[in-house]
Amino acid sequence: LAILVGSFQSDVFTYTTRIDSVLTNQQGGQAIMNDFTAELRSAIISDAGAYPITTAGTSTLTFFSNIDGDALHERVSYYLDGSELKKDVTKPAGNPLDYETGTTDTTIILQNVVASSTIFSYFDDTYDGVSTTTGELVQPVTPTDIRLVRIDIWTDTDPTKDPEPFHITTQVAIRNLKITL
């Protein structure tokens, strides 16, 4: 009876720890999507005059946005580094302003990302909002063609155990790149 009770307590502790880890990962993923959406939606021409999006790869996206509300536009990069989604924020420096001499802060914003061939997908102004292929741009993507970005991330705190990986996705239309009639 003691062995049975001990085994039960061990299982409860293991499952509680696993569920807590999964919920923390999901909450973190949702918070990241909120930040990502706000930052990308307000992408803007850089302080040095560069186009709002500079890099548009399958696992890397770099754009300019004023993410901290000051007078300068930061260069923001989201990229996959192994199983970690990282974010670099670079403030321009010098006169004239230059991003290469500015300071960069790197943050790991999500761990346990399941390897995927595509995290970022890009769409032009023909995207109808429904189809997963209409208007999708093929790599290499020309940044000036981008009007909408979709991010798809799968996370799994322990691939050897249940539950299944958690999928986080969102689409962001970039305000300053909209074509209005």
Side-chain angles (χ1 to χ4, degrees):
L1 186 59
I3 291 171
L4 184 63
V5 170
S7 176
F8 177 73
Q9 286 178 331
S10 174
D11 286 348
V12 167
F13 178 74
T14 300
Y15 288 121
T16 301
T17 302
R18 175 83 174 128
I19 289 170
D20 183 54
S21 176
V22 168
L23 290 175
T24 300
N25 209 24
Q26 289 176 357
Q27 288 172 336
Q30 291 167 344
I32 289 161
M33 288 301 179
N34 291 340
D35 290 345
F36 174 79
T37 299
E39 293 166 0
L40 183 58
R41 183 171 287 141
S42 61
I44 193 163
I45 293 173
S46 80
D47 289 320
Y51 191 74
I53 299 172
T54 61
T55 305
T58 58
S59 62
T60 302
L61 174 62
T62 303
F63 58 93
F64 297 97
S65 186
N66 187 357
I67 66 170
D68 60 5
D70 65 5
L72 299 175
H73 303 139
E74 292 78 26
R75 180 176 61 198
V76 181
S77 295
Y78 283 88
Y79 59 96
L80 187 61
D81 184 10
S83 65
E84 298 174 332
L85 183 65
K86 293 184 177 180
K87 176 180 170 182
D88 287 351
V89 176
T90 304
K91 280 210 167 281
N95 188 10
L97 290 173
D98 178 30
Y99 290 89
E100 300 311 313
T101 59
T103 57
T104 300
D105 291 324
T106 301
T107 307
I108 298 170
I109 57 172
L110 187 62
Q111 296 179 330
N112 307 310
V113 175
V114 177
S116 171
S117 58
T118 301
I119 291 179
F120 299 105
S121 301
Y122 307 95
F123 297 84
D124 63 17
D125 56 350
T126 64
Y127 178 60
D128 62 9
V130 178
S131 171
T132 57
T133 57
T134 301
E136 184 169 2
L137 300 170
V138 179
Q139 290 291 335
V141 171
T142 303
T144 55
D145 292 339
I146 299 170
R147 296 296 177 265
L148 181 131
V149 177
R150 180 176 59 221
I151 181 171
D152 285 298
I153 299 175
W154 291 88
T155 64
D156 195 354
T157 54
D158 188 348
T160 64
K161 297 180 181 173
D162 282 335
E164 295 294 317
F166 176 65
H167 183 225
I168 309 164
T169 188
T170 194
Q171 296 181 138
V172 181
I174 304 161
R175 277 191 207 124
N176 293 321
L177 301 182
K178 282 185 180 178
I179 296 174
T180 56
L181 302 174

